[in-house]
């Protein structure tokens, strides 16, 4: 049997990961530099990340992907802190 065909969302995620690695190399900015960053204070990269620290990520589904959350600038740090904590603790699923 041949290798399983990647789903479109898996291909996109792989491309985004490659792009992030390229940008990190260009700017010499390892992810760890932004682990406790506040979004309102970061101006030299396009995004910061939160990654699960407990448990394993659930299997990808067609509904997997990025989130777009629109927040007033005065609330962005508070909202990010809540989301980041929940992601790190594995509280977000689908």
């Amino acid at each position: 049997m041949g290798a399983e065909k990647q789903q479109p969302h898996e291909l996109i995620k792989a491309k985004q990961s490659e792009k992030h690695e390229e940008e990190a190399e260009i700017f010499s900015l390892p992810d760890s530099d932004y682990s406790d960053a506040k979004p309102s204070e970061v101006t030299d990269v396009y995004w910061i990340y939160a990654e699960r620290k407990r448990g394993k990520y659930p299997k990808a589904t067609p509904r997997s992907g990025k989130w777009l959350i629109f927040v007033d600038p005065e609330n962005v740090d508070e909202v990010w802190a809540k989301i980041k904590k929940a992601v790190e603790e594995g509280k977000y699923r689908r």
Side-chain angles (χ1 to χ4, degrees), residues 10-78:
E10 292 170 331
L11 293 172
I12 291 169
K13 189 173 180 180
K15 287 280 188 192
Q16 289 172 337
S17 178
E18 288 173 19
K19 179 76 172 162
H20 173 68
E21 288 174 17
E22 289 170 10
E23 288 176 353
E25 264 185 55
I26 291 169
F27 296 108
S28 299
L29 300 171
D31 289 347
S32 61
D33 286 354
Y34 296 97
S35 61
D36 292 320
K38 292 181 180 179
S40 66
E41 298 173 357
V42 176
T43 59
D44 53 343
V45 293
Y46 292 113
W47 54 83
I48 55 178
Y49 293 88
E51 294 184 314
R52 181 179 283 230
K53 293 181 179 180
R54 295 183 187 172
K56 295 181 180 182
Y57 281 102
K59 185 177 177 180
T61 71
R63 293 178 49 142
S64 300
K66 68 180 177 184
W67 301 352
L68 297 177
I69 300 172
F70 300 93
V71 179
D72 292 324
E74 63 268 11
N75 298 322
V76 70
D77 291 335
E78 179 184 354

